[in-house]
Amino acid sequence: MAYLKHKRILLGITGGIAAYKSADLVRRLREQGADVRVVMTRSACEFITPLTMQALSGRPVHTELLDYSAEAAMGHIELARWCDVVLIAPASANFMARLTHGQADDLLSTLCLAASVPLLLAPAMNQQMWLNPATQDNARLLTSRGITLLGPADGSQACGDTGPGRMLEPGDLIGHLDHVFQTNTLTAKKLVITAGPTREDIDPVRFISNRSSGRMGYAVARAAVEAGAEVVLISGPTSLELPERVFCQQVVTARQMHDAVMNEIRDTDIFIAAAAVADYRCSTIADQKIKKTDAFINLTLEKNPDILGEVASLSPPPFTVGFAAETEALLENARKKLINKKLDMIAANLVGDNRGFESEDNELQIIWKDGNIKLDHAPKEKLARNLVAIIAKHIHEKNSAQTH
Ligand code: CTP
């Protein structure tokens, strides 16, 4: 159960006695390192208080659809965009019926319609209610739409009955959630990724660098591990925690990054250049700190090796993905880079005006030879998972075209 760290889990609680188990579920999810936000229906609040869930999740609990202060902070659309997965536990018979009909008459049902992430339901109800043909039809319809039903389990019930309708235990639900993030789409693939900025020394105390935080590259590295790849991360200086199960090499300059990549590139299936590599370095680095004696000083800069371009020119090249950070004409500039550098794919985003580099969120245009797709504004982790899924799809298509 190692996949839930930093995952954003939206836990929906509907009315049912099993709501008391959701308190333990939140506690355990947080122990796994997940970030949990709780949304409760009105009847859920009759079984367990929002205050309890707030204390356990460490976040405000959301209950109202039309609450002006809540909408200003994080409304239903923001919540839907924020989360990586929605788990509704317990899911009552009434909630399942409302979801089947696409109703949007409270915060939780509206959010379910607005979210484009995996939706999991843990039904909990009296066994007769579960076995009722109406509920069974709803369960079938929800499953056919791609919603995952977890349980219910069989056993003794709070109402005294015995039969199917018990909510799965928190440990089992966590096991299922963990599974959502293990996609195995890149099993047995080796992936090398660069991330972060590089630094080019001017003198012993100064350097040329840029605003890259490394977040996007680190998120892609994590997403690739979840997809089953063997990941080598070659990182410039960042303040980020190293991703788990990733072989990480820390470098400082563009030339060190270049050498580290070239050492690793043999047998690599996928290369992703997410680093903001300094295009130029100082021709000479002063031995001593440069003193401010003159009104003007000149630095002579020379070009650094283009790591991405060099990898894409290998024969045969790995599946090569570049990043393009542009301040204008995004699609046009990115497509030029795709063609000039002979890339398989490029992920382009606008930077400047607090967009891109230092923020937690971003939006991306993913462009390849004969197509493109826009990934809407979302946390970088979520964009990273989508990007990895798109890369995996293209690689599988390319492989199956080669074998036919
Ligand atoms: N890149 C690289 N090695 C370099 C420079 C860039 O691997 N020396 C990679 C980056 O990691 C990114 C892509 O190339 O994936 C960016 O392309 P590039 O044309 O270098 O972008 P800019 O430097 O922004 O180019 P320009 O100034 O022409 O916009």
Side-chain angles (χ1 to χ4, degrees):
M1 298 201 186
Y3 293 90
L4 295 179
K5 197 167 178 191
H6 302 307
K7 296 299 178 312
R8 296 170 178 208
I9 295 166
L10 195 137
L11 176 66
I13 306 179
T14 71
I17 185 61
Y20 78 92
K21 291 189 192 173
S22 308
D24 187 32
L25 178 61
V26 172
R27 192 184 56 79
R28 291 188 189 212
L29 284 170
R30 290 199 66 202
E31 274 171 13
Q32 300 279 322
D35 191 355
V36 187
R37 280 184 184 267
V38 177
V39 174
M40 297 174 73
T41 62
R42 279 221 181 117
S43 39
C45 300
E46 304 286 335
F47 288 90
I48 189 161
T49 70
L51 200 61
T52 304
M53 302 314 292
Q54 179 169 310
L56 290 168
S57 66
R59 297 274 203 178
V61 168
H62 307 261
T63 53
E64 299 298 325
L65 178 59
L66 300 174
D67 171 341
Y68 295 114
S69 58
E71 284 287 307
M74 205 182 234
H76 61 284
I77 301 293
E78 280 77 19
L79 282 169
R81 282 190 186 142
W82 171 85
C83 59
D84 296 320
V85 66
V86 175
L87 168 65
I88 300 182
S92 65
N94 177 48
F95 189 79
M96 286 175 63
R98 289 200 287 129
L99 194 59
T100 306
H101 287 279
Q103 284 188 4
D105 51 2
D106 67 359
L107 177 60
L108 189 56
S109 55
T110 309
L111 202 149
C112 288
L113 290 190
S116 58
V117 294
L119 176 52
L120 284 67
L121 300 188
M125 62 198 75
N126 164 270
Q127 52 97 19
Q128 273 305 337
M129 290 172 76
W130 171 252
L131 294 172
N132 188 291
T135 309
Q136 288 297 303
D137 281 352
N138 290 340
R140 261 190 299 278
L141 205 57
L142 291 172
T143 309
S144 73
R145 291 178 190 157
I147 293 171
T148 306
L149 261 57
L150 309 173
D154 237 292
S156 65
Q157 302 200 296
C159 54
D161 280 7
T162 303
R166 284 170 60 94
M167 186 171 100
L168 291 193
E169 295 303 319
D172 298 328
L173 293 177
I174 288 178
H176 285 289
L177 272 180
D178 215 41
H179 224 72
V180 170
F181 296 101
Q182 296 171 52
T183 57
N184 293 326
T185 50
L186 293 179
T187 303
K189 301 279 182 215
K190 178 178 171 186
L191 181 147
V192 173
I193 178 164
T194 63
T198 61
R199 279 182 191 168
E200 307 299 329
D201 282 349
I202 298 171
D203 69 15
V205 294
R206 301 179 179 97
F207 54 77
I208 301 170
S209 192
N210 57 65
R211 294 183 191 280
S212 168
S213 64
R215 278 199 197 109
M216 191 66 211
Y218 278 51
V220 175
R222 268 192 218 101
V225 169
E226 285 168 13
E230 172 199 341
V231 178
V232 178
L233 170 65
I234 297 170
S235 174
T238 74
S239 55
L240 301 175
E241 193 185 327
L242 292 182
E244 286 169 20
R245 287 167 292 152
V246 161
F247 177 62
C248 187
Q249 291 188 52
Q250 315 254 25
V251 296
V252 178
T253 68
R255 281 190 295 178
Q256 288 169 358
M257 187 173 272
H258 168 269
D259 294 349
V261 168
M262 291 308 157
N263 274 336
E264 277 294 339
I265 207 69
R266 219 159 16 99
D267 308 327
T268 293
D269 302 287
I270 304 157
F271 176 66
I272 304 179
V277 186
D279 289 327
Y280 292 90
R281 65 177 180 277
C282 291
S283 292
T284 51
I285 300 170
D287 289 337
Q288 305 300 329
K289 189 178 165 202
I290 299 171
K291 292 290 177 193
K292 52 176 180 305
T293 45
D294 300 332
F296 294 95
I297 59 166
N298 289 313
L299 292 176
T300 305
L301 303 178
E302 63 184 74
K303 238 184 180 164
N304 272 325
D306 182 342
I307 307 167
L308 178 62
E310 208 172 310
V311 171
S313 316
L314 291 172
S315 168
F319 188 92
T320 308
V321 183
F323 270 76
E326 304 291 342
T327 53
E328 58 178 351
L330 183 69
L331 274 175
E332 199 183 318
N333 284 332
R335 200 165 272 289
K336 264 188 213 152
K337 278 181 193 167
L338 178 87
I339 294 163
N340 293 344
K341 292 201 188 188
K342 301 192 186 74
L343 309 180
D344 291 291
M345 193 175 276
I346 193 154
N349 69 301
L350 283 169
V351 287
D353 297 335
N354 294 327
R355 282 179 307 220
F357 276 158
E358 286 162 318
S359 80
E360 302 252 346
D361 298 349
N362 206 351
E363 57 184 52
L364 288 178
Q365 278 281 353
I366 314 294
I367 304 158
W368 57 95
K369 202 172 92 214
D370 43 19
N372 70 79
I373 188 169
K374 183 166 184 281
L375 301 183
D376 286 337
H377 195 86
K380 286 180 176 171
E381 288 76 20
K382 202 163 169 176
L383 292 174
R385 278 195 286 278
N386 283 337
L387 174 62
V388 165
I390 294 168
I391 292 172
K393 187 165 172 273
H394 277 254
I395 289 176
H396 293 305
E397 281 170 8
K398 200 171 166 180
N399 288 349
S400 61
Q402 278 164 359
T403 48
H404 287 110

Coordinates of all heavy atoms in Angstrom, one line a residue, residues 180-254:
V180 N -6.2 1.6 -7.7 CA -6.6 2.6 -8.8 C -5.3 3.3 -9.3 O -5.3 3.7 -10.5 CB -7.5 3.7 -8.1 CG1 -7.7 4.9 -9.1 CG2 -8.8 3.1 -7.7
F181 N -4.3 3.4 -8.5 CA -3.1 4.2 -8.9 C -2.0 3.3 -9.5 O -1.0 3.8 -9.9 CB -2.5 5.0 -7.7 CG -3.5 6.1 -7.3 CD1 -4.3 5.9 -6.2 CD2 -3.7 7.2 -8.1 CE1 -5.2 6.9 -5.8 CE2 -4.6 8.2 -7.7 CZ -5.4 8.0 -6.6
Q182 N -2.2 2.0 -9.5 CA -1.3 1.1 -10.1 C -1.8 0.7 -11.5 O -2.6 -0.2 -11.6 CB -1.1 -0.2 -9.3 CG -0.6 0.0 -7.9 CD -0.7 -1.3 -7.2 OE1 -0.3 -2.4 -7.6 NE2 -1.3 -1.3 -6.0
T183 N -1.4 1.4 -12.5 CA -2.0 1.2 -13.8 C -1.3 0.1 -14.6 O -1.9 -0.5 -15.5 CB -2.0 2.5 -14.6 OG1 -0.7 2.9 -14.7 CG2 -2.8 3.5 -13.9
N184 N 0.0 -0.1 -14.4 CA 0.8 -1.1 -15.1 C 0.9 -0.9 -16.6 O 1.1 -1.9 -17.3 CB 0.3 -2.6 -14.8 CG 0.5 -2.9 -13.3 OD1 1.5 -2.5 -12.8 ND2 -0.4 -3.6 -12.7
T185 N 0.6 0.3 -17.0 CA 0.7 0.5 -18.5 C 2.1 0.6 -19.0 O 2.3 0.6 -20.2 CB -0.1 1.8 -18.9 OG1 0.4 2.9 -18.0 CG2 -1.6 1.7 -18.7
L186 N 3.1 0.8 -18.1 CA 4.5 0.9 -18.6 C 5.3 -0.2 -17.9 O 6.5 0.0 -17.8 CB 5.1 2.3 -18.3 CG 4.5 3.5 -19.0 CD1 5.1 4.8 -18.6 CD2 4.6 3.3 -20.5
T187 N 4.7 -1.3 -17.6 CA 5.5 -2.4 -17.0 C 6.6 -2.8 -18.0 O 6.5 -2.9 -19.2 CB 4.5 -3.6 -16.8 OG1 3.5 -3.2 -16.0 CG2 5.3 -4.8 -16.1
A188 N 7.8 -3.1 -17.4 CA 9.0 -3.5 -18.1 C 9.6 -2.5 -19.0 O 10.4 -2.8 -19.9 CB 8.7 -4.8 -18.9
K189 N 9.2 -1.2 -18.9 CA 9.8 -0.1 -19.7 C 10.7 0.6 -18.8 O 10.5 0.9 -17.6 CB 8.7 0.9 -20.2 CG 7.6 0.2 -21.0 CD 8.1 0.1 -22.4 CE 6.9 -0.5 -23.3 NZ 7.4 -1.4 -24.3
K190 N 11.9 1.0 -19.4 CA 12.8 1.9 -18.7 C 12.6 3.3 -19.2 O 12.5 3.6 -20.4 CB 14.3 1.5 -19.0 CG 15.3 2.4 -18.3 CD 16.7 2.0 -18.5 CE 17.6 3.0 -18.0 NZ 19.0 2.8 -18.3
L191 N 12.4 4.2 -18.2 CA 12.1 5.6 -18.5 C 13.2 6.5 -17.8 O 13.5 6.4 -16.7 CB 10.7 5.9 -18.0 CG 10.1 7.3 -18.2 CD1 8.6 7.2 -18.4 CD2 10.5 8.3 -17.1
V192 N 13.8 7.4 -18.6 CA 14.7 8.4 -18.1 C 14.1 9.7 -18.2 O 13.5 10.1 -19.2 CB 16.1 8.3 -18.9 CG1 17.0 9.5 -18.4 CG2 16.7 7.0 -18.7
I193 N 14.1 10.5 -17.1 CA 13.5 11.8 -17.1 C 14.4 12.8 -16.5 O 15.1 12.6 -15.5 CB 12.1 11.8 -16.4 CG1 11.5 13.2 -16.4 CG2 12.2 11.2 -15.0 CD1 10.0 13.2 -16.0
T194 N 14.5 14.0 -17.1 CA 15.3 15.1 -16.5 C 14.2 16.1 -15.9 O 13.1 16.2 -16.3 CB 16.1 15.9 -17.5 OG1 15.2 16.5 -18.5 CG2 17.1 15.0 -18.3
A195 N 14.7 16.7 -14.8 CA 13.8 17.6 -14.1 C 14.5 18.8 -13.4 O 15.7 18.6 -13.1 CB 13.0 16.8 -13.0
G196 N 13.8 19.8 -13.1 CA 14.4 20.9 -12.3 C 15.2 21.9 -13.2 O 15.3 21.7 -14.4
P197 N 15.8 22.9 -12.6 CA 16.6 23.8 -13.3 C 18.0 23.3 -13.4 O 18.4 22.3 -12.8 CB 16.6 25.1 -12.5 CG 16.5 24.5 -11.1 CD 15.7 23.2 -11.2
T198 N 18.9 23.9 -14.2 CA 20.3 23.7 -14.0 C 20.9 25.0 -13.6 O 20.3 26.0 -13.7 CB 21.0 23.2 -15.3 OG1 20.8 24.2 -16.3 CG2 20.4 21.9 -15.9
R199 N 22.2 24.9 -13.1 CA 22.9 26.2 -12.6 C 24.2 26.3 -13.4 O 24.9 25.3 -13.5 CB 23.2 26.0 -11.2 CG 22.1 26.4 -10.3 CD 22.5 26.3 -8.8 NE 21.4 26.3 -8.0 CZ 21.4 26.0 -6.7 NH1 22.5 25.7 -6.1 NH2 20.3 26.1 -6.0
E200 N 24.5 27.5 -13.8 CA 25.7 27.7 -14.5 C 26.5 28.7 -13.7 O 26.1 29.9 -13.6 CB 25.5 28.2 -16.0 CG 24.5 27.3 -16.8 CD 25.1 25.8 -16.9 OE1 26.3 25.6 -17.0 OE2 24.2 24.9 -17.0
D201 N 27.6 28.4 -13.2 CA 28.4 29.3 -12.3 C 28.9 30.5 -13.1 O 29.4 30.4 -14.3 CB 29.6 28.5 -11.7 CG 29.2 27.7 -10.6 OD1 28.0 27.8 -10.1 OD2 30.0 26.9 -10.1
I202 N 28.9 31.6 -12.4 CA 29.6 32.9 -12.9 C 30.9 33.0 -12.2 O 31.9 33.3 -12.7 CB 28.6 34.1 -12.7 CG1 27.3 33.9 -13.5 CG2 29.4 35.4 -13.1 CD1 26.3 35.0 -13.2
D203 N 30.8 32.9 -10.8 CA 32.0 33.0 -10.0 C 31.7 32.1 -8.8 O 30.6 31.4 -8.8 CB 32.3 34.4 -9.6 CG 31.3 35.1 -8.7 OD1 30.5 34.4 -8.1 OD2 31.3 36.3 -8.6
P204 N 32.5 32.0 -7.7 CA 32.2 31.0 -6.7 C 30.9 31.3 -5.9 O 30.4 30.4 -5.2 CB 33.4 31.2 -5.7 CG 34.5 31.8 -6.6 CD 33.8 32.6 -7.6
V205 N 30.3 32.4 -6.0 CA 29.1 32.7 -5.3 C 27.8 33.0 -6.2 O 26.7 33.1 -5.7 CB 29.2 33.8 -4.3 CG1 30.2 33.5 -3.2 CG2 29.6 35.1 -5.0
R206 N 28.0 33.1 -7.4 CA 26.9 33.5 -8.3 C 26.7 32.5 -9.4 O 27.6 31.8 -9.9 CB 27.1 34.8 -8.9 CG 27.3 35.9 -7.9 CD 27.5 37.3 -8.6 NE 27.7 38.3 -7.6 CZ 28.9 38.8 -7.2 NH1 30.0 38.3 -7.7 NH2 29.0 39.8 -6.4
F207 N 25.4 32.4 -9.9 CA 25.2 31.5 -11.0 C 24.0 32.0 -11.8 O 23.2 32.8 -11.4 CB 24.9 30.0 -10.5 CG 23.8 29.9 -9.5 CD1 22.5 29.9 -9.8 CD2 24.1 29.7 -8.1 CE1 21.5 29.8 -8.9 CE2 23.1 29.6 -7.2 CZ 21.8 29.6 -7.5
I208 N 23.9 31.4 -13.0 CA 22.7 31.7 -13.9 C 21.8 30.5 -13.7 O 22.2 29.3 -13.8 CB 23.1 31.8 -15.4 CG1 24.1 32.9 -15.6 CG2 21.9 32.0 -16.3 CD1 24.8 32.9 -17.0
S209 N 20.5 30.7 -13.5 CA 19.5 29.6 -13.4 C 18.2 30.1 -13.8 O 18.1 31.1 -14.5 CB 19.5 29.1 -12.0 OG 18.8 27.9 -11.9
N210 N 17.1 29.4 -13.5 CA 15.8 29.8 -13.9 C 14.8 29.4 -12.8 O 15.1 28.8 -11.8 CB 15.4 29.2 -15.2 CG 15.5 27.7 -15.2 OD1 14.8 27.0 -14.5 ND2 16.5 27.2 -15.9
R211 N 13.5 29.7 -13.0 CA 12.5 29.6 -12.0 C 11.9 28.1 -11.9 O 10.9 27.9 -11.2 CB 11.3 30.5 -12.3 CG 11.6 31.9 -12.2 CD 10.4 32.8 -12.4 NE 10.7 34.2 -12.6 CZ 10.9 35.0 -11.6 NH1 10.9 34.6 -10.3 NH2 11.2 36.3 -11.8
S212 N 12.4 27.2 -12.6 CA 11.8 25.8 -12.6 C 11.9 25.3 -11.1 O 13.0 25.3 -10.5 CB 12.6 24.9 -13.5 OG 12.2 23.6 -13.3
S213 N 10.8 24.7 -10.6 CA 10.8 24.1 -9.3 C 11.1 22.6 -9.4 O 11.4 22.0 -8.4 CB 9.4 24.3 -8.7 OG 8.4 23.6 -9.4
G214 N 10.9 22.0 -10.5 CA 11.1 20.6 -10.7 C 9.8 19.8 -10.4 O 9.8 18.6 -10.6
R215 N 8.7 20.5 -10.0 CA 7.5 19.7 -9.5 C 6.9 18.9 -10.6 O 6.5 17.7 -10.4 CB 6.5 20.7 -9.1 CG 6.6 21.2 -7.7 CD 5.3 21.8 -7.2 NE 5.7 22.6 -6.0 CZ 5.7 23.9 -5.9 NH1 5.3 24.6 -6.9 NH2 6.1 24.5 -4.8
M216 N 6.9 19.4 -11.9 CA 6.2 18.7 -12.9 C 7.0 17.4 -13.2 O 6.5 16.3 -13.3 CB 6.1 19.6 -14.2 CG 5.3 19.0 -15.3 SD 3.5 18.9 -14.8 CE 3.0 17.5 -15.7
G217 N 8.4 17.5 -13.3 CA 9.2 16.4 -13.7 C 9.1 15.3 -12.6 O 9.0 14.1 -12.8
Y218 N 9.1 15.8 -11.3 CA 9.1 14.8 -10.2 C 7.7 14.1 -10.2 O 7.6 12.9 -9.9 CB 9.3 15.5 -8.8 CG 10.7 15.7 -8.5 CD1 11.6 16.3 -9.4 CD2 11.2 15.4 -7.2 CE1 12.9 16.5 -9.1 CE2 12.6 15.5 -6.9 CZ 13.4 16.1 -7.8 OH 14.7 16.3 -7.5
A219 N 6.6 14.9 -10.5 CA 5.3 14.3 -10.6 C 5.2 13.2 -11.7 O 4.6 12.2 -11.5 CB 4.2 15.3 -10.8
V220 N 5.9 13.5 -12.8 CA 5.9 12.6 -13.9 C 6.7 11.3 -13.5 O 6.2 10.2 -13.8 CB 6.4 13.2 -15.2 CG1 6.5 12.2 -16.4 CG2 5.6 14.4 -15.7
A221 N 7.8 11.5 -12.8 CA 8.6 10.4 -12.4 C 7.7 9.5 -11.5 O 7.7 8.2 -11.7 CB 9.8 10.8 -11.6
R222 N 7.0 10.1 -10.6 CA 6.1 9.3 -9.7 C 5.0 8.6 -10.5 O 4.8 7.4 -10.2 CB 5.4 10.2 -8.7 CG 6.2 10.3 -7.4 CD 5.4 11.0 -6.3 NE 6.2 11.9 -5.6 CZ 6.3 13.2 -5.7 NH1 5.5 13.8 -6.5 NH2 7.2 13.9 -5.1
A223 N 4.4 9.3 -11.4 CA 3.3 8.7 -12.2 C 3.9 7.5 -13.0 O 3.2 6.5 -13.2 CB 2.7 9.7 -13.1
A224 N 5.1 7.6 -13.5 CA 5.7 6.5 -14.3 C 6.0 5.3 -13.4 O 5.8 4.2 -13.9 CB 7.0 7.0 -15.0
V225 N 6.4 5.5 -12.2 CA 6.6 4.4 -11.3 C 5.3 3.7 -11.0 O 5.2 2.5 -11.1 CB 7.2 4.9 -9.9 CG1 7.1 3.8 -8.9 CG2 8.6 5.4 -10.1
E226 N 4.2 4.5 -10.8 CA 2.9 3.9 -10.6 C 2.4 3.1 -11.8 O 1.7 2.1 -11.7 CB 1.9 5.0 -10.3 CG 2.0 5.6 -8.9 CD 1.2 6.8 -8.8 OE1 0.3 7.1 -9.7 OE2 1.4 7.5 -7.8
A227 N 2.9 3.5 -13.0 CA 2.5 2.8 -14.2 C 3.4 1.6 -14.4 O 3.3 0.9 -15.4 CB 2.6 3.8 -15.4
G228 N 4.3 1.3 -13.5 CA 5.1 0.1 -13.6 C 6.5 0.3 -14.2 O 7.2 -0.7 -14.4
A229 N 6.9 1.5 -14.6 CA 8.2 1.7 -15.3 C 9.3 1.6 -14.3 O 9.2 1.9 -13.1 CB 8.2 3.0 -16.0
E230 N 10.5 1.3 -14.8 CA 11.8 1.5 -14.1 C 12.2 2.9 -14.4 O 12.4 3.3 -15.5 CB 12.8 0.5 -14.6 CG 14.2 0.7 -14.0 CD 15.3 0.0 -14.9 OE1 14.9 -0.9 -15.7 OE2 16.4 0.5 -14.7
V231 N 12.3 3.8 -13.3 CA 12.5 5.2 -13.6 C 13.8 5.7 -13.1 O 14.2 5.5 -12.0 CB 11.3 6.0 -12.9 CG1 11.5 7.5 -13.2 CG2 10.0 5.6 -13.5
V232 N 14.5 6.4 -14.0 CA 15.8 7.1 -13.6 C 15.5 8.6 -13.7 O 15.1 9.1 -14.8 CB 16.9 6.7 -14.6 CG1 18.2 7.5 -14.2 CG2 17.2 5.2 -14.6
L233 N 15.6 9.3 -12.6 CA 15.4 10.7 -12.6 C 16.7 11.5 -12.5 O 17.5 11.2 -11.6 CB 14.5 11.1 -11.3 CG 14.3 12.5 -11.0 CD1 13.5 13.3 -12.0 CD2 13.5 12.6 -9.6
I234 N 16.9 12.3 -13.5 CA 18.2 13.1 -13.4 C 17.8 14.5 -13.1 O 17.1 15.2 -14.0 CB 19.0 12.9 -14.7 CG1 19.3 11.4 -14.9 CG2 20.2 13.8 -14.8 CD1 19.8 11.0 -16.2
S235 N 18.1 15.0 -11.9 CA 17.5 16.2 -11.4 C 18.6 17.3 -11.2 O 19.6 17.0 -10.6 CB 16.8 15.9 -10.1 OG 16.3 17.1 -9.5
G236 N 18.2 18.5 -11.6 CA 19.0 19.7 -11.2 C 18.6 20.0 -9.8 O 17.8 19.3 -9.2
P237 N 19.2 21.1 -9.2 CA 18.9 21.4 -7.8 C 17.5 21.8 -7.5 O 17.0 22.8 -8.2 CB 19.9 22.6 -7.6 CG 20.8 22.7 -8.7 CD 20.1 22.0 -9.9
T238 N 16.8 21.1 -6.7 CA 15.5 21.5 -6.3 C 15.3 21.3 -4.7 O 16.2 20.7 -4.1 CB 14.4 20.6 -6.9 OG1 14.4 19.3 -6.3 CG2 14.6 20.4 -8.4
S239 N 14.2 21.8 -4.2 CA 14.0 21.5 -2.7 C 13.0 20.4 -2.5 O 12.4 20.3 -1.5 CB 13.6 22.8 -2.1 OG 12.4 23.3 -2.8
L240 N 12.8 19.6 -3.5 CA 11.7 18.6 -3.4 C 12.2 17.3 -2.8 O 13.4 17.0 -2.9 CB 11.2 18.3 -4.8 CG 10.6 19.5 -5.6 CD1 10.2 19.0 -7.0 CD2 9.4 20.0 -4.9
E241 N 11.3 16.6 -2.2 CA 11.5 15.3 -1.6 C 11.7 14.3 -2.8 O 10.9 14.4 -3.8 CB 10.3 14.9 -0.8 CG 10.4 13.8 0.1 CD 9.0 13.4 0.7 OE1 8.2 14.4 0.9 OE2 8.8 12.2 0.9
L242 N 12.7 13.5 -2.7 CA 13.0 12.5 -3.8 C 11.8 11.5 -3.9 O 11.4 11.0 -2.9 CB 14.3 11.8 -3.6 CG 15.5 12.6 -3.7 CD1 16.8 11.8 -3.5 CD2 15.6 13.3 -5.1
P243 N 11.3 11.2 -5.1 CA 10.2 10.2 -5.2 C 10.7 8.8 -4.8 O 11.9 8.5 -5.0 CB 9.9 10.3 -6.7 CG 10.5 11.5 -7.2 CD 11.7 11.8 -6.4
E244 N 9.8 8.1 -4.2 CA 10.2 6.7 -3.8 C 10.3 5.8 -5.1 O 9.6 6.0 -6.1 CB 9.2 6.1 -2.9 CG 9.3 6.8 -1.5 CD 8.1 6.4 -0.6 OE1 7.4 5.4 -0.9 OE2 7.9 7.1 0.4
R245 N 11.1 4.8 -4.9 CA 11.3 3.7 -6.0 C 11.8 4.3 -7.3 O 11.5 3.8 -8.4 CB 10.0 2.9 -6.2 CG 9.7 2.0 -5.0 CD 8.3 1.5 -5.0 NE 7.4 2.5 -4.8 CZ 6.1 2.6 -5.2 NH1 5.7 1.6 -6.0 NH2 5.3 3.6 -4.9
V246 N 12.5 5.4 -7.2 CA 13.1 6.0 -8.4 C 14.6 6.1 -8.2 O 15.0 6.4 -7.1 CB 12.5 7.5 -8.6 CG1 13.4 8.3 -9.5 CG2 11.1 7.4 -9.1
F247 N 15.4 5.7 -9.2 CA 16.8 5.9 -9.1 C 17.1 7.3 -9.5 O 16.9 7.7 -10.6 CB 17.5 4.9 -10.1 CG 19.0 5.0 -10.0 CD1 19.7 4.8 -8.9 CD2 19.7 5.4 -11.2 CE1 21.1 5.0 -8.9 CE2 21.0 5.5 -11.2 CZ 21.8 5.3 -10.0
C248 N 17.6 8.1 -8.5 CA 17.8 9.5 -8.7 C 19.3 9.9 -8.8 O 20.0 9.5 -8.0 CB 17.1 10.3 -7.6 SG 17.0 12.0 -8.0
Q249 N 19.6 10.7 -9.8 CA 21.0 11.3 -9.9 C 20.8 12.8 -9.8 O 20.1 13.4 -10.6 CB 21.6 10.9 -11.2 CG 21.9 9.4 -11.3 CD 22.7 9.2 -12.6 OE1 23.7 9.8 -12.8 NE2 22.3 8.2 -13.4
Q250 N 21.6 13.4 -8.9 CA 21.5 14.8 -8.7 C 22.7 15.4 -9.5 O 23.8 15.0 -9.4 CB 21.7 15.2 -7.3 CG 20.8 14.4 -6.4 CD 19.6 15.1 -5.8 OE1 19.2 16.1 -6.5 NE2 19.1 14.7 -4.7
V251 N 22.3 16.5 -10.3 CA 23.4 17.2 -11.1 C 23.2 18.7 -10.8 O 22.2 19.1 -10.3 CB 23.3 16.8 -12.6 CG1 23.6 15.4 -12.8 CG2 22.0 17.2 -13.2
V252 N 24.2 19.4 -11.3 CA 24.0 20.9 -11.1 C 24.0 21.6 -12.5 O 23.1 22.3 -12.8 CB 25.2 21.4 -10.3 CG1 25.1 23.0 -10.2 CG2 25.2 20.8 -8.9
T253 N 25.0 21.3 -13.3 CA 25.1 22.0 -14.6 C 24.4 21.3 -15.7 O 24.2 20.1 -15.6 CB 26.6 22.3 -15.0 OG1 27.2 21.0 -15.3 CG2 27.3 22.9 -13.8
A254 N 24.2 22.0 -16.9 CA 23.7 21.4 -18.1 C 24.6 20.3 -18.6 O 24.1 19.2 -19.0 CB 23.4 22.4 -19.1

